[in-house]
Amino acid sequence: MNASPSIAGLRSTPVLLLLIPALFAVWLARPLLPVDETRYTAVAWEMWRTGEFLVPHLNGETYAHKPPVLFWLMHAGWSVFGVNLWWPRVLGALALCLNAFMIKRLGRRMWPQQPQRGGLAAMLFVGALFPFLFSTALMFDLWLVPWVVLGWTALVDSHRGAPLLRTSITFAAAVGFGILTKGPVTLLFLLPPVLAATHWSGRARSAMLAANGAAGRPIDYAADTIESPVATRASRSKFIYATGGLGILLGAAIALAWAIPAGFAGGQEYRDAIFWGQTAGRIKDSFAHSRPFWWFLPLLPGMLFPWLWWPRTYQGWRGLSSKAKDLSRLMFWCLAPAFLFLCLMDGKQPHYLLPLFAMAALALAWNLDTNARFKLRPSLLPFLLPMVVGLAMAFAPLWVSAVDNVAWLNPQILSLSGIVLLALLRPAWSVLQHEALRPLALACLAPITVTALHFGMGSSFYAEYDLEPTAEFVAQWQEEQTPVGYFGSAYYGQFHFLGRLEQPLANPETTDALRAWLEANPEGQMLVVVRRGDPPTFGPAPYPALPHGSRLLQVWESKALLTRLDSLKLP
């Protein structure tokens, strides 16, 4: 196999170092965004405040939509550094670093004689737009990736001849903690390669055991695949099935060790939700935001930028599988069934694909390192997206005023950030001229583009989307024993962590429920959500509206709003 010496020394570390300016830009330009980031910190805050670490709560009610691992990770940092905002915001970057380590480790297990492929794959993953973008956010999916990669590593170790006890425990940890991180969807990424073991696992294990055992040599679990006519595919695959079967049973026990006591502690409704809602109920609810089968396909070039924009990515695949049938088939079973199932599901979100990007990075690293005859020629195509973004930002003064609902954009700051982005593309193009550094130069494009975009949003975006000032008002009202409500939209804990609230907010869903709450709480305060540009349902409020992300927030005293309801003759 002809390895490419030009990329042997590439690592993910230089790309990970770009997390520092990216996180700095994010913290300057972007507060915790509603509704996801504010919701997850609110759940973690309520668990922390009440000391109830078994059952998550949101706004005083049990929260069954997500498992607890991300909340526990926030608690781990708070137990060391105290309750703060910066720790939840750095968790995404820590997840990306952990993903790079796990992908590198899996690459070395897959190709022990070509360990450079693991480092290259890690660089390809962290240099893709979507993984790097999600490292700046507080989300669950980037924390699912290391568990999925750990499960794949257990299967590769079993393929190489590792003891069943070790591989099954490793696979169990991947299944159990993956379920506690994101739910049973973990099995979508881990089951197919187990069920297809007869097809992909080849004849390596029994031949390895026979060859080394007969010669009296210790078994080298990191050795390359050994082919032998004395071994059968059936005798080989049974170890993969055993690893998967035992791992799933033990992994289920890990997940149930939390779910059973949590179900009893949370009550019947919560118990039904975590055992049913995380599986069939979630699939049923996905019809609420149905998307077509092909919905992921046009998003892939953006999510996997710059690699799907690089012509070299599409070269060298023909005949590659014949050089290592076992591993090429393993990649297929890790990628194709999960992607097909996600396409068939009605409820699709782009971040559902993140675990698949890890194996895609390993496949591309294998291709790049194996086919040295395909030159890593410099290409302008991957530079087109950051160039277009940079030019649009640089000429922002010409178009910002014509766009609705972006009054918060500062055209001067946006223009300056665009000019800086274009200026940074010049040294990146210079680095691209050196063949050994071309993948590294491309891997830096997404991070510098994400960083420039965040700097371009400026402090005005922060002010429009920062809910902390409103949360402080709510906290002050609660300290004064003033009832507070939220009307016009579902309340997802937007103010709970930012205001360190101690009490839930009322959230009437109908005008009748609103009237009943106002009559029962004549000294209360009601926050009413209104759309920007639309006439408020109840007319102008006595006080100026507060920024509330893409919407505005009116503040009404109960008596004044009740009077307005009567004057408008609303039910």
Side-chain angles (χ1 to χ4, degrees):
M1 196 173 288
N2 298 322
S4 173
S6 64
I7 59 176
L10 292 181
R11 298 291 184 270
S12 60
T13 303
V15 187
L16 288 173
L17 288 176
L18 292 175
L19 275 171
I20 298 173
L23 289 177
F24 180 70
V26 168
W27 291 340
L28 285 179
R30 200 184 77 197
L32 284 179
L33 291 180
V35 292
D36 287 334
E37 290 185 315
T38 52
R39 172 170 46 195
Y40 301 149
T41 51
V43 174
W45 162 248
E46 289 209 34
M47 294 175 72
W48 178 270
R49 181 184 63 82
T50 61
E52 174 57 82
F53 300 107
L54 195 61
V55 180
H57 284 76
L58 177 63
N59 199 36
E61 299 180 355
T62 56
Y63 179 73
H65 294 280
K66 298 293 182 184
V69 161
L70 185 63
F71 311 130
W72 291 345
L73 289 172
M74 284 186 262
H75 297 156
W78 288 347
S79 64
V80 177
F81 306 108
V83 177
N84 60 74
L85 176 59
W86 66 265
W87 174 253
R89 303 203 69 180
V90 82
L91 282 176
L94 294 179
L96 188 66
C97 294
L98 178 60
N99 289 340
F101 170 77
M102 295 298 294
I103 291 170
K104 180 178 180 179
R105 180 173 176 265
L106 175 56
R108 290 184 170 184
R109 298 293 181 89
M110 294 175 73
W111 302 287
Q113 303 304 318
Q114 295 87 20
Q116 72 277 3
R117 294 177 185 173
L120 177 59
M123 186 197 71
L124 297 173
F125 180 82
V126 301
L129 177 62
F130 233 56
F132 193 90
L133 182 62
F134 267 78
S135 72
T136 67
L138 179 64
M139 298 290 283
F140 287 80
D141 301 85
L142 210 56
W143 281 102
L144 174 62
V145 176
W147 299 119
V148 173
V149 174
L150 180 66
W152 291 338
T153 303
L155 299 182
V156 172
D157 285 347
S158 182
H159 176 77
R160 297 296 188 195
L164 177 61
L165 178 63
R166 191 186 91 187
T167 58
S168 58
I169 290 177
T170 303
F171 197 80
V175 171
F177 290 104
I179 291 175
L180 291 178
T181 299
K182 184 66 177 177
V185 70
T186 306
L187 296 174
L188 174 64
F189 304 102
L190 295 179
L191 265 181
V194 173
L195 298 177
T198 301
H199 182 250
W200 71 263
S201 64
R203 296 183 283 268
R205 181 188 179 99
S206 54
M208 183 184 298
L209 295 176
N212 287 279
R217 297 191 303 267
I219 298 172
D220 181 6
Y221 296 115
D224 278 343
T225 299
I226 301 173
E227 300 289 350
S228 169
V230 302
T232 65
R233 182 167 296 177
S235 66
R236 171 67 196 92
S237 60
K238 67 181 181 181
F239 291 95
I240 306 293
Y241 292 133
T243 292
L246 290 174
I248 289 172
L249 290 176
L250 293 174
I254 292 173
L256 290 173
W258 164 78
I260 291 176
F264 281 105
Q268 182 66 43
E269 184 177 351
Y270 180 73
R271 185 162 58 249
D272 292 343
I274 61 174
F275 284 105
W276 175 252
Q278 289 287 341
T279 49
R282 182 68 56 85
I283 295 175
K284 176 179 178 292
D285 291 342
S286 71
F287 287 94
H289 42 91
S290 177
R291 285 166 175 156
F293 171 83
W294 47 263
W295 187 80
F296 283 124
L297 298 180
L299 299 181
L300 286 175
M303 290 190 286
L304 288 175
F305 171 84
W307 308 120
L308 292 188
W309 299 57
W310 190 25
R312 174 62 183 86
T313 298
Y314 303 95
Q315 299 174 333
W317 296 102
R318 180 176 299 178
L320 191 61
S321 62
S322 63
K323 300 177 182 179
K325 290 183 178 179
D326 295 344
L327 295 181
S328 63
R329 290 175 176 177
L330 170 63
M331 292 176 187
F332 172 83
W333 287 108
C334 289
L335 290 170
F339 181 73
L340 179 61
F341 184 84
L342 290 173
C343 287
L344 291 173
M345 285 184 60
D346 276 357
K348 301 178 180 67
Q349 296 293 343
H351 46 269
Y352 292 174
L353 299 180
L354 278 172
L356 300 181
F357 293 168
M359 185 58 75
L362 286 160
L364 181 56
W366 178 38
N367 183 349
L368 295 177
D369 189 54
T370 300
N371 292 299
R373 59 192 178 88
F374 291 97
K375 299 299 182 182
L376 305 179
R377 296 183 176 88
S379 173
L380 183 63
L381 191 59
F383 283 74
L384 288 180
L385 179 60
M387 286 175 61
V388 170
V389 171
L391 288 171
M393 294 168 65
F395 289 99
L398 301 180
W399 57 264
V400 164
S401 60
V403 182
D404 294 332
N405 296 325
V406 291
W408 48 265
L409 273 179
N410 186 318
Q412 286 72 36
I413 294 178
L414 193 61
S415 179
L416 179 60
S417 300
I419 293 171
V420 172
L421 172 58
L422 294 173
L424 289 174
L425 294 180
R426 181 65 184 88
W429 177 258
S430 299
V431 173
L432 196 72
Q433 307 312 307
H434 302 276
E435 182 176 3
L437 298 177
R438 279 169 193 162
L440 177 60
L442 296 178
C444 294
L445 293 180
I448 64 175
T449 303
V450 169
T451 304
L453 281 170
H454 279 95
F455 272 121
M457 290 190 297
S459 58
S460 53
F461 178 86
Y462 196 104
E464 288 293 320
Y465 280 79
D466 185 16
L467 305 185
E468 188 169 1
T470 307
E472 291 174 352
F473 281 126
V474 177
Q476 182 179 349
W477 289 329
Q478 288 193 349
E479 289 178 4
E480 297 169 352
Q481 303 301 313
T482 301
V484 184
Y486 184 90
F487 180 77
S489 179
Y491 179 68
Y492 294 114
Q494 290 93 318
F495 308 126
H496 258 72
F497 172 71
L498 294 173
R500 309 296 194 268
L501 303 187
E502 302 283 341
Q503 302 294 330
L505 268 64
N507 189 204
E509 297 180 0
T510 65
T511 307
D512 287 339
L514 172 63
R515 179 184 291 276
W517 187 90
L518 295 173
E519 292 174 346
N521 300 276
E523 303 301 323
Q525 299 281 350
M526 178 57 67
L527 304 174
V528 178
V529 181
V530 297
R531 294 182 179 275
R532 294 178 184 265
D534 291 349
T537 304
F538 308 126
Y543 308 102
L546 300 172
H548 194 59
S550 61
R551 301 183 180 185
L552 294 172
L553 201 63
Q554 291 183 324
V555 180
W556 289 87
E557 295 176 350
S558 291
K559 293 178 180 178
L561 184 53
L562 191 58
T563 302
R564 182 62 58 84
L565 287 176
D566 292 336
S567 66
L568 295 175
K569 299 182 179 180
L570 293 176

